Structures are given as structure tokens and as C-alpha cells.
Amino acid sequence: MLPNWRIGTKLLVLTVPLIAAATLLATWTLYRLNAERLQGMLKDRAKSIAHQVMADRQYYGAAVVPRVGELKGSLGADYRDVHGRFPLPATFVREVSEQIARSGDGYITRLISPWPINKEMGPKDSFENDGFAALAHSPGDPFVRTDTVDGRAVMRVLMSDVASSTSCVSCHNAHPQSPKHDFRLYDVMGGLEVIIPMDQYLAESRQEMAITLGSGLCLCFLVLGIVSVGARWTVSRPLAHIAERMAQFMRQQPDEQASGQTPELPRGDEAAYLAQSFSKMASVIRTQQTALQEANASLEQRVQERTAELRRTTAEKERIGSELRIASEIQKSILPRTFPPFPDRADFEIYATTIPALEMGGDFYDFFLIDDTRLGVVIADVSGKGVPAAIFMAVSRSLLKATALASVSPSACLEHVNRLLCPDNESAMFVTVFYGILQTETGELEFSNGGHNVPYVIGDNRLVPVGTPAGMALGVLDEARYQTSRMTIHPGETLVLYTDGVTEAMDGQGRLFSTPRFEETLQRLSQQRPIDLLTKLVEDVQAFSRGAVQADDITLLAMQYRQPALLELALANRASELQRLASNLERFAQNHRIPERDVHALSLALDEVITNTIAYGYDDQGAHEIRVRVTLANGRLSAEVEDDGRPFDPLTAPQPDLTSAVEDRPVGGLGIHLVRSLMEHVEYRREAGNNHLIMSRRLSAGAQAETKAEHHGNL
Amino acid sequence: MEISERKVGDVCIVQIAGRLDSGTSDSLAQQLHRIIDGAERRLVIDCEKLDYVSSTGLRVLLVAAKRLKTVDGKIALSSLKPHILEIFEIAGFKSIFPIYGTTEQASQQISG
């Protein structure tokens, strides 16, 4: 591995030897090519010199030598000293060579032979010996070799010298100093050697090589510079930037482990530093991821635990909720909920409603007939809410009703119930109770108040509190005493019992519905029938507290007292009195909601009976009184007619003829027939000198069913 | 009680409104006698506004029917309220008086 250098440095270290080696290789190759080219060139030059010299000799041999005989001359090497002598061709060559040597190019040409006539012209060194050996094999190929002569590098070429004419052959064969005498035409007789000095060329070549090398190295350093700078710009700096950011990231780690590993800013190899940082960061991230996974797993586990817990709780809640709903239904079913509760009673009308704040309420109302003429009404509010209140309520309600039905006065009833509630009341609950008994015949109300809101009687022109706030709530004090008070409710007036959930109903801003608003509402609705009165009242309260949570149970009971279901009239024995009877009957029917069909039947029956009495009942012409008493009780409409006329039992009248033709049909007897047909029950008595005719009919069932349905619909 | 009469073709339509009882029957009796005396032979008693009828009223109608019978006249009732119809049924008058839902029906039936 390389030491911790910067990337640029590393690139340099790696590339420098490479480029240097490449340069050297290129230079050497160039040099080699150059040398080959030089050798080739020098070889060619040597060959051409040799050819030139040989051509000269050829020419001399062919053009000059034959003329020697004509001139009576001779040939010899000593031509300078002997008159008439001409140079031998070999001498000619030697002379030319000397001329060439003198040209100053350093070129040397030499004619040499293994069989020299002149001993100086024999081979002298290994090149020449080797050359003749090679030429002996292939006389056409010049023998070439570089060599060193007198310390100079030279190119040496030896070309074969072939016997080109018979004169050459004969001359040599005949020459006394020739070592060989059997030459034939075209035999190799010797060779021409050319020596060309190379050192000058080699020096040039070396210089070239040096220049090449130098420029190659320059190029190399230029490239290295560019690489170095480029690396810095394109690699080092971005890497350093990344490293910087990474260092920043590491410094920001809250982890001790991470902050302890904050790397120094880069000094050496950025990539290595980066790799190191990466590895550190990876380790940090791995640690964090592990921690995160652990946290995740623990979180998941907790979520699962919480979910399971929530599911259990929800299931439990649902179970409790469902039980509460059932309990709530049971509680509601404890209270009388069928309206009208006493459909046979026309002398009062009752409606009651309770809206618990929670599933289970602590309020309750109750009403019951103690006997035919006494109606008990109760409203109560148990302290607290929810299940405990509901249980206490159920107990209180049962005790109250049981006690009340034993026909005791209201105060006695409260005292009795109080004594029963106190001893076992460990949870210190209490109940406020208003209990009243209405005498249905007179409208008199007996009542006792055990700490409850004072009810109201509302009528045409009045709104009267029923008693004053008095008495202690039940269940508090064993020996508590209660008062019975009395007041009269007039026909058409309504007794309204309520709990404080009504007056203390709150709106969104925490304001109370309040007693004044309650009284105002009651007065406005005083002419309404109980069901309408309470329905509208509840609507008002709910409209008032819209948007707010119902804080307390809302319970209301309204009892409208009607005119007693009794109509008593004393009529004079005049036909005009029948009109008075009719109008009275009509009003009576309206007051007691008697179906039209029934009131018509009774009206007609009374008409027939009284008309009959007025017309035929008296022996004299004097004034008589006919008393009529109409009652409505237990779904029966009854009437009694009493007169002091002569005894007459209409039931003895014969059944009239209802079938014969018009001309035969008797015109009388229909009246009594109508009475007997329209009334279910007709009875005659003669008592104390008076006629009593008693008749009754059950109210039409259809009309009553209709009324009932209407009430149910409103519940 | 109020009584009004009108003529449609040969039919005399008598409308009775209100109560027909012992106090009011006499005036109806007189009016019917006058109508029959006036040679009306086709009578429709329009009971649409009749609220009440007692045996006295029934008797007046029966007497009128008897008179018309003797002179070949005809009488019919129309538009009875249910409780009035019940009285007519109880009295056995349905076999004497044809009863129609509307005055027009009654007139058509007894006309000619």
C-alpha cells in the first residue's frame, strides 16, 4: 500500500514512472529505428561508392588497358617510375581510392584479394577474412558490418570483384607474382572494401534522441502537472467538501460514541479519509439504527400491550355500557309509561316524562289510583346520579307506592318511607319527594313535601306554587316529620311537578334555564293538555341548553284536573228546556272528550224520555222539576232522569212495528224504541213517589283506541 | 232549524238544517203539508245539514210519506250524516224512505 498521501500525489507517484518508462521506450525505439535507417543509408552509400569505383575500373580495364599493347607499353604498379608503363587496373583502383581518401569525408576504399599480386592488398583483419568467406558462398551479396577502426565507429562493406573479362583472367593467371593461376572468367578474384565513418551520424542520432527524451519528459511533467491540478479540482476538493460535511455530521451526533470519533479534517488521502469517515459514520449509524430498532421493538411491544389493554377496556366498557342500557331500560320500565294510563277516566289527564342525564337516572315520577276517587301523584329526586342513585330510586319508588296504596295521608306516607330508608342508608343517599293525593270528585289536593321543588298549579289566570318549600329530604333523619297541606285545583287547571334538572338546565354559557323562565313557560302553556304541555316544555328546555351537556335528570309530571264527570241539571217541564239540556250535554262531552257518537246517543235518549215526560207525564198543568244526572265513569256514559210525574215504566211499552208499508206504519212508539236501541242498559225504578229512569252505554271503543294511539305516538 | 226549498224539474228539494226535534218539528210539518197541498208529488229531503233528529221529527217525515203515498207521490232522503242514518235505521225507516248519497241522485231516481 502507498503511504497516506493526497490523491494528487498518489496519481503522480503512479503515473511518473509509467510516463518516464514510456518516454524511455519511445526514445530507445526511435534511436534503434534511426540507427537502422542510418546503417541502411550508409550501406547504400558504401555500395554506390563501391559501384562507382568498380565502374571506373571497368571502364579503365575495357577502354585503356587494351590500348597499352598498341602503344607498346606495359602494365605495372611501378608506372610512375618506369616509362611506357601504365597502371594496372588494381593500381588504378588504388589511385582512385587515394583520391577519395583525400576528399576529407573520411571514406576509405580498398581493393583487396585473398590472392593479391601486390602483397599489401591481402586481407588484414577479421572483417576482411569473414567477408571473403561470405562472398565465397554468395558472391552477389555485399558483406556489411559495423566495426571500429582506429577508435572510430565505421560502416564496412565488402563487395565481390568478379573476373569480368578474359584479359583480367589471363593477366592474373599469367602474372608471376600472382598466388593463383587458375582464374576463370566470372570468378571472384577479390573484393572492394568501402569504409564509411559513422561516429558523426551516431552523434547526430544521439542528439536527436536526447531532444526526443527531453521533450518527452517535458510533456510528461506537463501532463503530471495537469493531472495533479485536475485531481485537486475534480476529486480532492469535492471529497474534502464531503469529508467536511461528514465531520460536521459526526460533530452533531449527540452520542458520546459518535462525538468521540469526530475525525480530524483531511491532511492526507481524501478518499482514504472519506472511507475512514464513512466507516465511522456507518458504525455510528449502525449503532443508532440498532438503538432505533430496539426502541422501535420496545415501542411496538408497548403499542401492542396498550392496544390489548385498550381492547380489554373497550370490551369491558361495552359490556358495562350494554348492562347499563339494559338497566336503563329496566329502570324506565319501572315507571308507568303507557299514556293515557287510565283511559276510562275523563276527570283527569296525566302525562309524565323523564330524561336521564346518564344511562341511569335518579329522578322518578309515579301516579296511581288509590281508589276510584283518589289519585296519587309522586315526583322525586335521588341525590347523586348513575347506578347508585338508580338503585336508591327503585327502592324509594317501591316503598312510596306500597305505602301510598295503603291509603294513608301524604305526610304519614313520607314519614313511613323515611323511617324505612334511614336505617339501611349507609351510603348517606337521600331523596326529595313530593307526594299529592287528588280527590277526583272535588279537585282537592292533599300533599306533603319532603324537600322537593315546590310544584305549580297553572290555570287560566294563575300560576300558584303548591305549598311552600318545607320538609326534609327522605333518608336523612330518622325522626323527620312531614306536614300534609291542602289546596284546590279547579277544573281545567294543571298540576305540574318537576325536578331541578329543568330549572337548572344550562346553556352553552353556563346560564340556568331558571325558575322565572320556567314559570313564564308554564304560564304560556297553561291551556295545553298535559302531553302537549310537557312536550313543548321539554323542547324549550332542550332548545335552551343546545350545545351543552345535560347535567341533571329532567323529570316532569303534569296532571290536568277536569270538570268532574258529572252533569246535574234541574229542568222545568217545558219543551224549551230541552235546548238547555242539549247545550249542557255538548259542553260536558267536550270537557270529557266523549265521542260524538256516544253523546248524540245519550242526548237523543234523554230528549225522547224528557219530551215524553213533559208531554204525557203529568196529570196537571203545573210546574214540575225534572232532574237529570249524567256521569262518565269507567268508560260508561250514564244518565238518570228523575221526575215526579205519574208512574210510568217506558220499558213496558210494546215494540213498534218497523216493517210494514208506509200506509200501515203507525206513527207513534218510536221514541221509547230509540231509547232502548241507543242505550245498552235501561232501568226503571219508582222511588219515593218519583220515576227514576237509569240508562247507560259504554263509550265507543273505536274512539278510545284512537285517543290511545295518539298518546303512544307522542311518547 | 232552518228549512229551505227549491225546485229542480218536477222535484221539490227541501233542505233541513240544524235540529229536528219536538221544538222544531211543527214548522217542518206545516211546510211539508203546504208543499204537498201545492200539488208537489216528488219530494227530496236534503239532510246534508241535519244535525239531529228525534222521534218527533221522524213522525213528521212519516206523516208526509203517508200523504204522498195516497196521492201517488214519492219521497226520498239524501246526504244523511252517519249518526242520523243510524237513527233512521233504528226506526225502520229505510224500508219507507229511499236514501241516496246526494240530492242529485235522489232527484233523478224519483223524477218522472
Side-chain angles (χ1 to χ4, degrees):
Chain A
M1 275 301 293
L2 286 168
N4 184 23
W5 293 332
R6 284 170 181 270
I7 286 188
T9 316
K10 279 188 183 171
L11 279 175
L12 287 180
V13 167
L14 288 174
T15 48
V16 162
L18 217 64
I19 295 179
T23 309
L24 286 176
L25 184 68
T27 310
W28 185 73
T29 310
L30 215 59
Y31 175 66
R32 283 291 307 276
L33 287 172
N34 225 11
E36 268 172 34
R37 184 176 54 83
L38 186 64
Q39 281 180 18
M41 185 189 81
L42 292 178
K43 198 166 106 182
D44 288 346
R45 189 175 291 177
K47 277 185 195 171
S48 66
I49 289 170
H51 282 304
Q52 186 62 49
V53 171
M54 296 303 268
D56 290 350
R57 194 197 63 175
Q58 184 80 26
Y59 171 75
Y60 180 73
V64 177
V65 171
R67 300 266 182 98
V68 172
E70 293 171 17
L71 297 171
K72 311 285 190 195
S74 61
L75 294 167
D78 50 356
Y79 70 94
R80 291 181 192 263
D81 304 327
V82 180
H83 183 70
R85 285 224 186 184
F86 290 87
L88 284 164
T91 310
F92 173 80
V93 169
R94 202 171 59 197
E95 291 298 334
V96 169
S97 296
E98 274 169 22
Q99 292 298 319
I100 291 170
R102 274 201 290 273
S103 69
D105 290 335
Y107 292 6
I108 295 166
T109 48
R110 245 164 45 98
L111 193 62
I112 52 171
S113 173
W115 310 279
I117 292 174
N118 185 343
K119 295 294 173 216
E120 285 175 10
M121 293 174 74
K124 286 177 185 152
D125 55 15
S126 62
F127 171 79
E128 287 166 356
N129 287 326
D130 291 347
F132 281 117
L135 289 177
H137 277 292
S138 46
D141 294 334
F143 181 72
V144 183
R145 188 189 275 179
T146 53
D147 205 352
T148 307
V149 178
D150 300 333
R152 292 181 77 182
V154 293
M155 167 67 67
R156 295 176 78 172
V157 177
L158 182 66
M159 288 183 74
S160 57
D161 178 18
V162 177
S164 55
S165 67
T166 49
S167 60
C168 297
V169 173
S170 57
C171 179
H172 274 266
N173 282 344
H175 201 289
Q177 286 171 319
S178 173
K180 187 174 161 95
H181 300 284
D182 56 352
F183 286 114
R184 287 171 300 176
L185 195 61
Y186 306 123
D187 270 358
V188 173
M189 299 176 72
L192 185 72
E193 182 186 7
V194 181
I195 299 173
I196 297 174
M198 282 173 71
D199 46 2
Q200 190 194 339
Y201 299 109
L202 284 176
E204 278 173 14
S205 183
R206 278 192 206 98
Q207 201 179 346
E208 261 174 45
M209 192 179 74
I211 289 167
T212 308
L213 189 63
S215 47
L217 286 176
C218 279
L219 187 70
C220 162
F221 283 116
L222 185 66
V223 166
L224 291 178
I226 291 170
V227 163
S228 173
V229 171
R232 180 161 284 266
W233 277 98
T234 60
V235 180
S236 294
R237 287 200 173 193
L239 286 183
H241 183 64
I242 295 173
E244 171 81 19
R245 299 300 294 267
M246 211 162 344
Q248 222 171 344
F249 167 78
M250 298 294 268
R251 278 196 298 274
Q252 282 166 356
Q253 293 311 303
D255 230 273
E256 281 177 22
Q257 182 200 9
S259 56
Q261 289 186 359
T262 306
E264 292 298 312
L265 279 177
R267 290 256 165 73
D269 185 341
E270 302 86 344
Y273 170 81
L274 208 56
Q276 199 185 347
S277 295
F278 259 125
S279 121
K280 281 176 185 170
M281 197 163 80
S283 112
V284 167
I285 289 174
R286 201 178 304 119
T287 312
Q288 286 179 348
Q289 200 175 8
T290 310
L292 210 60
Q293 274 168 351
E294 280 167 10
N296 235 0
S298 122
L299 198 64
E300 202 159 309
Q301 194 188 347
R302 276 165 61 193
V303 165
Q304 275 172 359
E305 283 170 8
R306 287 286 299 142
T307 308
E309 196 181 315
L310 206 60
R311 206 173 289 131
R312 279 196 299 279
T313 313
T314 308
E316 182 72 4
K317 265 189 177 170
E318 271 169 13
R319 190 181 61 76
I320 292 172
S322 125
E323 282 181 6
L324 267 181
R325 273 193 296 281
I326 293 166
S328 168
E329 279 308 306
I330 291 172
Q331 190 192 26
K332 278 183 196 156
S333 70
I334 290 174
L335 301 180
R337 283 195 296 175
T338 305
F339 295 99
F342 311 111
D344 291 348
R345 303 295 298 230
D347 42 353
F348 59 83
E349 186 176 331
I350 284 187
Y351 187 72
T353 186
T354 182
I355 305 160
L358 304 175
E359 292 282 358
M360 310 284 288
D363 283 4
F364 69 92
Y365 62 82
D366 205 357
F367 46 80
F368 36 81
L369 278 168
I370 300 164
D371 55 36
D372 271 356
T373 60
R374 285 191 295 168
L375 170 73
V377 289
V378 176
I379 195 151
D381 185 354
V382 172
S383 61
K385 284 190 293 262
V387 177
I391 294 169
F392 199 75
M393 166 254 163
V395 171
S396 308
R397 191 252 174 184
S398 301
L399 287 175
L400 261 167
K401 187 170 183 179
T403 310
L405 289 176
S407 189
V408 295
S409 74
S411 56
C413 176
L414 294 195
E415 277 168 22
H416 182 69
V417 173
N418 180 52
R419 274 196 301 276
L420 291 172
L421 284 177
C422 276
D424 301 323
N425 185 8
E426 282 170 10
S427 52
M429 303 196 80
F430 58 87
V431 57
T432 65
V433 181
F434 176 92
Y435 171 41
I437 302 172
L438 174 77
Q439 302 287 338
T440 58
E441 288 175 322
T442 61
E444 187 188 40
L445 181 74
E446 279 185 293
F447 60 90
S448 189
N449 194 335
H452 196 83
N453 302 56
V454 173
Y456 294 95
V457 166
I458 51 172
D460 263 349
N461 293 307
R462 66 173 191 160
L463 179 137
V464 191
V466 179
T468 50
M472 184 176 284
L474 279 66
V476 179
L477 205 61
D478 210 345
E479 63 270 23
R481 289 289 169 268
Y482 298 91
Q483 298 281 315
T484 293
S485 308
R486 287 174 181 79
M487 76 175 290
T488 301
I489 302 173
H490 301 130
E493 290 186 330
T494 305
L495 170 69
V496 181
L497 312 181
Y498 68 100
T499 58
D500 54 11
V502 178
T503 49
E504 290 169 15
M506 277 188 282
D507 68 4
Q509 277 81 51
R511 289 182 296 238
L512 297 180
F513 188 73
S514 79
T515 304
R517 192 190 300 267
F518 181 52
E519 290 179 350
E520 193 184 299
T521 311
L522 284 180
Q523 264 173 331
R524 182 160 49 82
L525 301 171
S526 65
Q527 297 304 308
Q528 303 280 340
R529 293 176 57 187
I531 182 166
D532 300 326
L533 170 67
L534 295 195
T535 306
K536 285 173 181 156
L537 194 54
V538 166
E539 278 172 10
D540 268 23
V541 171
Q542 285 177 339
F544 174 81
S545 58
R546 181 161 297 131
V549 178
Q550 187 187 339
D552 202 355
D553 305 339
I554 290 174
T555 303
L556 285 154
L557 182 150
M559 189 280 300
Q560 186 173 40
Y561 178 59
R562 296 271 168 69
Q563 253 173 352
L566 171 70
L567 174 66
E568 284 182 308
L569 281 173
L571 304 173
N573 56 334
R574 292 194 302 272
S576 59
E577 287 283 90
L578 288 168
Q579 190 61 46
R580 191 158 72 88
L581 172 65
S583 54
N584 271 286
L585 264 178
E586 210 164 292
R587 202 175 319 122
F588 178 80
Q590 264 176 10
N591 284 340
H592 298 287
R593 301 175 197 285
I594 301 167
E596 195 183 338
R597 187 160 173 245
D598 300 308
V599 75
H600 176 255
L602 180 67
S603 186
L604 182 53
L606 286 173
D607 184 348
E608 298 295 344
V609 168
I610 293 165
T611 304
N612 211 38
T613 303
I614 291 170
Y616 311 110
Y618 302 103
D619 293 323
D620 55 9
Q621 300 296 313
H624 294 271
E625 192 179 69
I626 304 168
R627 281 184 296 282
V628 179
R629 183 187 164 89
V630 180
T631 56
L632 175 67
N634 302 326
R636 275 194 101 74
L637 186 60
S638 312
E640 183 176 348
V641 182
E642 184 183 0
D643 66 73
D644 58 351
R646 63 167 170 265
F648 171 66
D649 180 1
L651 298 175
T652 57
Q655 184 75 10
D657 175 2
L658 300 175
T659 52
S660 57
V662 61
E663 55 269 33
D664 303 324
R665 187 72 65 93
V667 292
L670 276 175
I672 297 301
H673 169 67
L674 285 179
V675 172
R676 294 167 76 168
S677 301
L678 292 170
M679 304 308 283
E680 290 163 4
H681 176 81
V682 185
E683 184 188 327
Y684 171 78
R685 283 203 303 270
R686 180 77 185 179
E687 274 179 15
N690 286 346
N691 293 312
H692 293 261
L693 188 67
I694 300 140
M695 48 199 174
S696 69
R697 67 177 270 153
R698 176 154 289 279
L699 292 182
S700 308
Q704 270 187 17
E706 221 169 72
T707 317
K708 210 178 223 168
E710 172 197 317
H711 283 285
H712 279 291
N714 282 333
L715 271 181
Chain B
M1 185 193 66
E2 283 174 25
I3 304 164
S4 62
E5 61 175 279
R6 62 194 162 102
K7 198 77 187 286
V8 176
D10 60 341
V11 179
C12 181
I13 299 168
V14 180
Q15 190 184 60
I16 312 167
R19 292 172 66 88
L20 179 58
D21 55 17
S22 54
T24 58
S25 293
D26 280 353
S27 63
L28 177 66
Q30 283 164 22
Q31 188 139 352
L32 290 180
H33 281 304
R34 189 175 46 74
I35 288 166
I36 297 165
D37 291 344
E40 293 292 348
R41 293 297 175 261
R42 304 280 187 266
L43 247 66
V44 170
I45 309 297
D46 178 4
C47 301
E48 191 186 348
K49 294 178 177 172
L50 181 63
D51 295 323
Y52 181 91
V53 61
S54 73
S55 61
T56 323
L58 294 177
R59 202 151 48 231
V60 171
L61 292 173
L62 179 58
V63 168
K66 280 174 178 286
R67 272 202 68 190
L68 280 170
K69 182 73 183 174
T70 59
V71 292
D72 278 340
K74 284 183 179 172
I75 188 167
L77 306 177
S78 73
S79 318
L80 279 75
K81 288 179 180 172
H83 65 278
I84 302 293
L85 179 62
E86 189 186 0
I87 303 303
F88 275 87
E89 281 170 350
I90 292 169
F93 273 26
K94 278 182 87 174
S95 60
I96 297 171
F97 296 92
I99 295 171
Y100 299 99
T102 65
T103 312
E104 289 68 31
Q105 280 177 352
S107 305
Q108 275 178 5
Q109 290 299 319
I110 66 167
S111 174

